[in-house]
């Protein structure tokens, strides 16, 4: 039996990629927002149905720079965010010298609980950074209302939500900005890459400058930027993978539906139910195990699968506010995030995972 990891990168054929990078070998323009970058950017704007989009070297730098471009770097500034995420979300806040304020999550879809946001708002709050975790859509309406009432910004970490739509709109249309990640392990990849989607054209220039050392023109460098540009080879990979998205989603859905057939209704197992008015992307397959009802702990299931060369992941364990680098915030209690992080396992799901393999994984879990 072959080893199965939690994910496997989707890739085009070598010939198809070769075709796409041929012009780069002819022009010798390898980076700095060249023609392939621009072509890919245009295609993505269409695919994601967003008005504006800036491409980055990865999702993390995109989020770090969005926080800066939106003018949120303020003395003593605080950002309300979720502890149930990849540590990148919190790092992007902290590396901008802002204080993360952890808000607990909802027990059903694991996104930030809007009912718990308001009590955390202080005179120092500058923004909310929620996460569409596993591609589950946050309560964008409630979050928007709170943000407007308090005059604060919202930046979504949409790293998991590529291609998701809510009420017929691309997920990148909510809040002031949304970050997408195109890392090799995500639903859609450019090897490494990321983007910020936004609607206020005013953010376009600062984002563009920040990712290119703050350079406005040769003699004029108004901002202290860094280097976070997407290169032409990554953009070419994006063009190839975007072409394959429908096929990729169709196959992910088949694996996802098979998991649901096998696991839903099993005592002690909780799956994320489909959300209303959401077109999902089947990015992850999170399963919560209740040891008293299921008869095994999350860690026992994890080890049992590993013994069969199947590698599920404990996304996201520990919760971010329980990591050593954020222990200083351990007084901020988020019991639901703690409970989910200690009980959840994300099972393998990727384009090439067959329904037979899903059956094998489910057989091991259930027997
Ligand atoms: C992957 C990920 C990121 C970081 O994206 P990179 O492209 O890997 O830098 C940020 N937030 C979440 C929730 C992620 O899963």
């Amino acid at each position: 039996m072959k080893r199965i990891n939690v994910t496997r990168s989707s890739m085009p054929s070598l010939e198809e990629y070769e075709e796409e990078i041929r012009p780069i070998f002819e022009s010798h323009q390898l980076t700095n927002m060249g023609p392939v970058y621009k072509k890919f950017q245009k295609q993505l704007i269409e695919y994601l149905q967003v008005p504006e989009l800036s491409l980055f070297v990865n999702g993390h730098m995109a989020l770090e720079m969005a926080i800066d471009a939106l003018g949120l770097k303020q003395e003593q500034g605080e950002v309300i965010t979720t502890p149930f995420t990849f540590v990148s979300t919190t790092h992007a806040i902290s590396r901008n010298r802002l204080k993360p304020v952890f808000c607990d999550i909802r027990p059903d879809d694991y996104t930030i609980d809007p009912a718990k946001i308001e009590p955390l708002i202080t005179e120092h709050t500058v923004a909310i950074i929620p996460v569409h975790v596993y591609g589950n859509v946050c309560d964008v309406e409630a979050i928007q209302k709170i943000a407007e009432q308090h005059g604060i910004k919202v930046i979504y970490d949409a790293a998991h939500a590529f291609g998701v739509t809510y009420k017929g709109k691309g997920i990148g249309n909510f809040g002031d900005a949304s970050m997408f990640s195109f890392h090799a392990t995500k639903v859609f990849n450019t090897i490494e890459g990321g983007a910020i989607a936004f609607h206020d054209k005013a953010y376009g220039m600062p984002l563009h400058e920040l990712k290119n050392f703050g350079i406005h023109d040769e003699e004029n460098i108004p901002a202290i930027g860094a280097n976070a540009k997407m290169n032409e080879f990554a953009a070419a990979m994006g063009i190839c993978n975007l072409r394959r998205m429908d096929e990729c989603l169709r196959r992910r859905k088949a694996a996802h539906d098979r998991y649901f057939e096998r696991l839903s209704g099993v005592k002690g197992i909780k799956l994320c139910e489909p959300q209303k008015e959401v077109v999902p992307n089947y990015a992850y397959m999170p399963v919560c195990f209740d040891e008293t009802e299921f008869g095994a702990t999350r860690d026992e299931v994890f080890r049992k699968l590993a013994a069969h060369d199947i590698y599920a992941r404990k996304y996201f364990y520990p919760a971010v506010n329980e990591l050593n680098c954020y222990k200083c915030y351990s007084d901020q209690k988020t019991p639901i995030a703690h409970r989910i992080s200690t009980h959840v396992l994300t099972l393998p799901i990727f384009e090439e995972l067959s329904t037979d393999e899903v059956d094998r994984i489910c057989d091991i879990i259930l027997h």
Side-chain angles (χ1 to χ4, degrees):
M1 292 286 175
K2 66 172 195 266
R3 179 191 170 102
I4 300 178
N5 288 325
V6 72
T7 189
R8 188 161 199 261
S9 301
S10 286
M11 286 174 86
S13 70
L14 181 57
E15 293 71 31
E16 194 183 342
Y17 186 58
E18 230 171 63
E19 206 46 52
E20 214 55 54
I21 62 173
R22 196 174 300 280
I24 309 174
F25 277 80
E26 283 155 14
S27 72
H28 285 228
Q29 178 159 9
L30 309 184
T31 185
N32 286 14
M33 286 68 90
V36 189
Y37 174 108
K38 294 207 175 83
K39 178 177 166 189
F40 178 46
Q41 179 188 33
K42 191 160 164 274
Q43 290 183 359
L44 265 186
I45 284 175
E46 233 165 81
Y47 188 84
L48 294 171
Q49 310 168 43
V50 293
E52 306 283 333
L53 190 91
S54 187
L55 297 174
F56 285 81
V57 66
N58 58 49
H60 177 83
M61 288 311 294
L63 184 56
E64 254 194 60
M65 292 188 166
I67 292 170
D68 196 354
L70 266 63
L72 304 178
K73 273 173 109 167
Q74 290 166 30
E75 204 75 31
Q76 292 187 310
E78 296 174 2
V79 175
I80 298 171
T81 189
T82 165
F84 193 68
T85 182
F86 181 46
V87 71
S88 163
T89 318
T90 322
H91 283 350
I93 296 167
S94 298
R95 289 174 54 82
N96 275 297
R97 299 188 181 281
L98 294 162
K99 179 186 171 190
V101 175
F102 294 103
C103 178
D104 211 354
I105 58 173
R106 302 196 285 195
D108 50 350
D109 62 16
Y110 317 141
T111 63
I112 199 165
D113 186 346
K116 293 182 181 153
I117 292 177
E118 217 145 21
L120 300 175
I121 293 179
T122 72
E123 55 177 321
H124 300 301
T125 308
V126 293
I128 308 169
I129 301 190
V131 179
H132 299 301
V133 69
Y134 305 136
N136 290 344
V137 174
C138 297
D139 187 342
V140 291
E141 282 108 359
I143 293 168
Q144 191 58 34
K145 210 167 138 201
I146 295 167
E148 278 168 16
Q149 270 166 4
H150 295 270
I152 55 180
K153 299 267 194 271
V154 180
I155 303 177
Y156 283 101
D157 179 334
H160 296 178
F162 185 87
V164 170
T165 68
Y166 174 59
K167 293 190 174 168
K169 281 166 92 175
I171 199 66
N173 287 286
F174 300 94
D176 296 280
S178 295
M179 175 276 275
F180 293 96
S181 163
F182 311 142
H183 184 257
T185 55
K186 302 297 203 291
V187 160
F188 167 80
N189 84 79
T190 64
I191 310 169
E192 292 255 14
I196 296 295
F198 53 101
H199 32 88
D200 188 341
K201 278 190 163 47
Y203 300 144
M205 192 52 82
L207 283 169
H208 183 87
E209 289 176 0
L210 283 168
K211 73 178 169 198
N212 192 26
F213 306 102
I215 297 171
H216 184 72
D217 58 45
E218 272 171 35
E219 296 181 8
N220 186 8
I221 303 182
I224 302 173
N227 183 4
K229 307 180 294 285
M230 174 178 283
N231 73 62
E232 296 285 276
F233 288 85
M237 189 69 155
I239 289 170
C240 293
N241 277 335
L242 198 56
R243 227 176 257 143
R244 308 184 51 263
M245 258 329 262
D246 287 350
E247 167 75 359
C248 173
L249 288 176
R250 195 178 59 70
R251 295 180 64 172
R252 279 179 174 272
K253 180 180 186 324
H256 171 271
D257 289 355
R258 187 68 182 164
Y259 273 123
F260 261 70
E261 279 170 34
R262 296 290 311 272
L263 301 179
S264 67
V266 174
K267 230 175 146 207
I269 281 187
K270 195 172 91 56
L271 307 175
C272 280
E273 293 302 320
Q275 294 178 297
K276 280 197 196 77
E277 303 191 83
V278 169
V279 176
N281 65 1
Y282 313 102
Y284 297 86
M285 186 60 218
V287 180
C288 260
F289 293 93
D290 181 325
E291 63 270 30
T292 45
E293 289 196 359
F294 183 68
T297 66
R298 181 270 307 266
D299 288 1
E300 282 164 356
V301 176
F302 174 85
R303 284 195 294 268
K304 201 164 151 195
L305 287 168
H308 288 84
D309 241 7
I310 296 165
Y311 298 91
R313 293 296 295 267
K314 301 175 195 178
Y315 290 148
F316 291 97
Y317 170 79
V320 174
N321 52 349
E322 295 171 12
L323 292 168
N324 7 9
C325 57
Y326 292 113
K327 278 258 164 70
C328 49
Y329 303 114
S330 61
D331 57 318
Q332 301 179 22
K333 297 288 179 231
T334 52
I336 297 172
H338 176 79
R339 187 181 154 76
I340 302 303
S341 75
T342 51
H343 289 73
V344 75
L345 199 59
T346 53
L347 302 178
I349 188 163
F350 46 88
E351 183 184 350
E352 292 168 284
L353 187 72
S354 69
T355 45
D356 284 350
E357 286 170 316
V358 173
D359 278 337
R360 189 157 74 85
I361 294 167
C362 293
D363 288 343
I364 295 166
I365 293 171
L366 297 173
H367 296 294

